[in-house]
């Protein structure tokens, strides 16, 4: 990320909205925004494949495959930024489920995958697809489901200003596409 360019343009935005970027409260704002962007858009540095490799630590689970096991992790908190308005997508909760085929992913890796995929200018629909793709590659399982519920400040703080609106997206791959029992595992209990 070109942080100097971000600083330059943030300074220009401050001027464009009628602010004085040299006043005490704003002098450091361009640098702070550039530093924040480096952190919150870290995921733009990596492809889905690279994230799968980065967080793809798995453990043998041969006995789980025969038992018909499903791994489910609910209520993973993430945030992202809408690519249409660069507005915050917040209070987002991700639930992920997959059927292990000989390998299971370390549980913290599931949360890390969700977090890193969210650190991009994003659409919630694409975020679900990205998480499913990364989990599938990391685990070697074609059977993955992802449910995301979140609020979008492009809806709550501007435009319609509907503060109670939440968006729910579901991404189903493999057996999750047709098996309602598997789909229901993602729903909050």
């Amino acid at each position: 990320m070109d942080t100097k360019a971000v600083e330059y343009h943030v300074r220009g935005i401050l001027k464009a909205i009628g602010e004085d970027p040299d006043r005490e409260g704003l002098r450091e704002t361009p640098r702070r925004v550039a530093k924040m962007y480096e952190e919150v858009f870290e995921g733009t540095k990596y492809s889905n494949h690279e994230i799968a490799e980065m967080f793809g630590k798995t453990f043998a689970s041969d006995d789980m495959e025969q038992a018909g096991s499903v791994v489910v992790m609910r209520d993973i908190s993430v945030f992202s930024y809408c690519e249409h308005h660069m507005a915050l997508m917040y209070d987002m909760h991700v639930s992920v489920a997959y059927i292990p085929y000989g390998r299971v992913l370390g549980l913290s890796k599931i949360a890390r995958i969700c977090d890193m995929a969210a650190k991009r200018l994003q659409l919630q629909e694409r975020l679900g697809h990205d998480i499913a793709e990364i989990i599938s590659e990391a685990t070697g399982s074609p059977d993955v489901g992802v449910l995301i519920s979140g609020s979008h400040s492009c809806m709550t703080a501007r435009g319609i200003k509907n503060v109670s609106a939440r968006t729910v997206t579901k991404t189903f791959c493999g057996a999750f596409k047709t098996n309602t029992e598997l789909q229901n595992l993602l729903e909050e209990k």
Side-chain angles (χ1 to χ4, degrees):
M1 179 175 295
D2 186 345
T3 56
K4 290 298 177 196
V6 172
E7 287 181 38
Y8 173 82
H9 291 290
V10 168
R11 185 174 170 77
I13 289 169
L14 290 171
K15 286 181 184 178
I17 64 171
E19 280 287 356
D20 174 7
D22 292 318
R23 76 173 168 84
E24 184 179 354
L26 293 178
R27 274 187 222 129
E28 298 297 317
T29 298
R31 184 184 55 76
R32 286 185 189 113
V33 171
K35 186 174 171 124
M36 178 189 76
Y37 279 6
E38 237 179 350
E39 182 180 335
V40 301
F41 297 131
E42 182 184 7
T44 61
K45 294 191 288 189
Y46 307 105
S47 68
N48 286 351
H49 172 71
E50 290 169 324
I51 295 171
E53 285 184 333
M54 192 180 335
F55 300 121
K57 175 71 174 166
T58 60
F59 304 93
S61 69
D62 295 330
D63 55 331
M64 290 182 74
E65 188 175 341
Q66 286 80 27
S69 296
V70 179
V71 176
V72 181
M73 182 176 277
R74 287 193 193 94
D75 216 22
I76 301 165
S77 295
V78 300
F79 68 89
S80 192
Y81 288 85
C82 162
E83 68 183 34
H84 295 147
H85 300 97
M86 292 183 70
L88 185 64
M89 299 186 318
Y90 62 97
D91 194 24
M92 296 180 80
H93 299 276
V94 180
S95 295
V96 175
Y98 71 94
I99 298 173
Y101 286 89
R103 309 282 307 162
V104 292
L105 196 58
L107 293 177
S108 70
K109 304 306 185 228
I110 296 171
R112 290 179 190 279
I113 286 168
C114 295
D115 181 63
M116 188 62 76
K119 288 182 174 180
R120 301 168 169 165
L121 287 175
Q122 196 60 280
L123 297 174
Q124 185 170 319
E125 299 87 341
R126 185 180 320 115
L127 178 58
H129 175 79
D130 286 349
I131 292 168
E133 182 178 292
I134 296 164
I135 296 287
S136 180
E137 181 177 339
T139 62
S141 175
D143 304 316
V144 180
V146 178
L147 180 142
I148 304 173
S149 174
S151 297
H152 296 238
S153 61
C154 55
M155 284 266 311
T156 62
R158 60 156 303 279
I160 189 75
K161 296 180 185 155
N162 189 318
V163 296
S164 62
R166 292 189 59 77
T167 301
V168 176
T169 55
K170 300 175 183 183
T171 305
F172 299 131
C173 303
F176 282 84
K177 284 184 178 180
T178 56
N179 187 323
T180 55
E181 282 184 47
L182 289 174
Q183 293 172 8
N184 290 337
L185 291 174
L186 291 165
E187 298 294 333
E188 294 184 30
K189 303 291 178 201

